[in-house]
Amino acid sequence: MSGDLPLNINIKEPRWDQGTFMGRAQHFFMVTDPRNVLLSSEVLEDARVTVEDYRLGVVKPGLTEDQLWRAKYIYDSAFHPDTGEKMLLVGRMSAQVPMNMTITGCMLTFYRTTPAVVFWQWVNQSFNAVVNYTNRSGDAPLTMNQLGAAYVSATTGAVITALGLKSLTKHLPAIMGRFVPFAAVAAANCINIPFMRQRELKCGIPITDAEGKRLGESTKAAQQAIVQVVVSRIGMAVPAMAIPPVIMNALEKKAFMKRFPVLNAPVQVGLVGFCLVFATPLCCALFPQKSSMKVSSLEPELQERLRQSNPHTTTVYFNKGL
């Protein structure tokens, strides 16, 4: 070993206690930091080498503990936890704030006409499909046919939901129309995420013991993972899509907004961005990324297999995705 840094730092786990909400929040504030999107390929590769070398017992000369943790969080923000592959840039959680503030701001601004609703819901659900695929749980590959079918199902269902909700608000007060995008996004998340991760529901996701030893695949774990992700995603949308409409409804009555209507979209996007900076990590932190489940809650055949091969295992763990 070269260097003075000890090899007993557990960088397989987050730096902060994941058993508490505050610990998870600190972890996700680092992972979802929008500045990570600006990091060059060289910086990402250097972080990957630093992390993988350290796991093999090789320490870069002069490496400090803070530098190691910084490398670990850069690595976590850009590389898939199960496959180790570099994730698509727009699908990374660090891209959530800049991408969502733009798309959500436009959805909240251009909600009055049917073509605008269709276009921005399609853009949003296409983006969500990329995010859901990028942050899926497990390491089994999806075929192009599976991916295409999931994408078409998810986006079509989401757009139809948005149009249906828009038609219901025609005879309601104008302020209610502003909440159509949020209601559509919430409903669409319930459609998009299961469709984009349908392979997990059919074939299961990897489960491990406390030491990380793979024990098999479970569809019950996949169901729990997807429900938790849906709840987190809807939670992310609440502040960004519920607070700005109320503020904008008041601002649009002001003289300066009437004189400069071109400010509508930039102000809306800025308000959404401010909400998302906090909502994204805090809602990711609602559930641990490394989720757990009692063996007694797994499929009967898997329970039986584990009782025979791992009789002392009572709890299994899995990556729920984001």
Side-chain angles (χ1 to χ4, degrees), residues 19-253:
T20 68
F21 176 77
M22 285 307 297
R24 295 195 296 272
Q26 286 176 290
H27 167 70
F28 282 112
F29 266 107
M30 293 290 288
V31 172
T32 64
D33 187 339
R35 293 173 297 179
N36 290 338
V37 173
L38 303 175
L39 297 175
S40 67
S41 296
E42 290 75 20
V43 171
L44 296 179
E45 183 60 20
D46 183 63
R48 185 188 68 78
V49 170
T50 299
V51 168
E52 291 182 354
D53 281 355
Y54 185 83
R55 287 173 178 169
L56 294 172
V58 179
V59 181
K60 190 186 297 183
L63 185 70
T64 66
E65 184 172 348
D66 284 340
Q67 289 172 335
L68 175 63
W69 281 112
R70 174 61 181 153
K72 181 253 192 314
Y73 275 102
I74 290 174
Y75 177 87
D76 284 354
S77 75
F79 294 88
H80 194 278
D82 290 331
T83 66
E85 295 174 353
K86 187 188 287 187
M87 296 186 284
L88 293 167
L89 180 64
V90 296
R92 298 172 195 169
M93 293 310 290
S94 53
Q96 280 283 295
V97 172
M99 292 298 296
N100 260 331
M101 69 184 282
T102 305
I103 296 171
T104 303
C106 288
M107 280 197 297
L108 293 174
T109 303
F110 308 110
Y111 66 92
R112 291 183 172 90
T113 67
T114 297
V117 169
V118 171
F119 176 75
W120 285 109
Q121 283 294 332
W122 171 75
V123 170
N124 185 52
Q125 293 310 320
S126 295
F127 168 65
N128 282 344
V130 173
V131 173
N132 295 335
Y133 170 73
T134 304
N135 293 281
R136 67 198 183 282
S137 176
D139 50 12
L142 275 174
T143 66
M144 289 307 294
N145 284 343
Q146 289 172 325
L147 189 57
Y151 168 74
V152 171
S153 304
T155 51
T156 302
V159 170
I160 290 172
T161 302
L163 290 176
L165 288 168
K166 184 178 184 301
S167 68
L168 291 175
T169 61
K170 282 181 180 176
H171 306 295
L172 295 175
I175 184 66
M176 296 305 295
R178 288 183 176 273
F179 288 97
V180 166
F182 166 65
V185 165
N189 272 323
C190 298
I191 299 168
N192 195 316
I193 295 170
F195 268 122
M196 289 307 294
R197 294 177 60 174
Q198 59 185 276
R199 190 190 183 285
E200 298 170 35
L201 293 171
K202 293 175 183 174
C203 305
I205 57 175
I207 55 171
T208 69
D209 60 17
E211 282 71 47
K213 177 187 172 186
R214 191 159 173 165
L215 302 174
E217 287 76 35
S218 168
T219 55
K220 291 286 188 182
Q223 290 167 17
Q224 179 176 306
I226 288 171
V227 167
Q228 290 178 347
V229 171
V230 168
V231 171
S232 294
R233 292 286 187 82
I234 293 174
M236 282 181 209
V238 171
M241 302 193 80
I243 297 172
V246 175
I247 296 173
M248 290 305 298
N249 203 53
L251 285 179
E252 283 180 0
K253 296 172 184 174

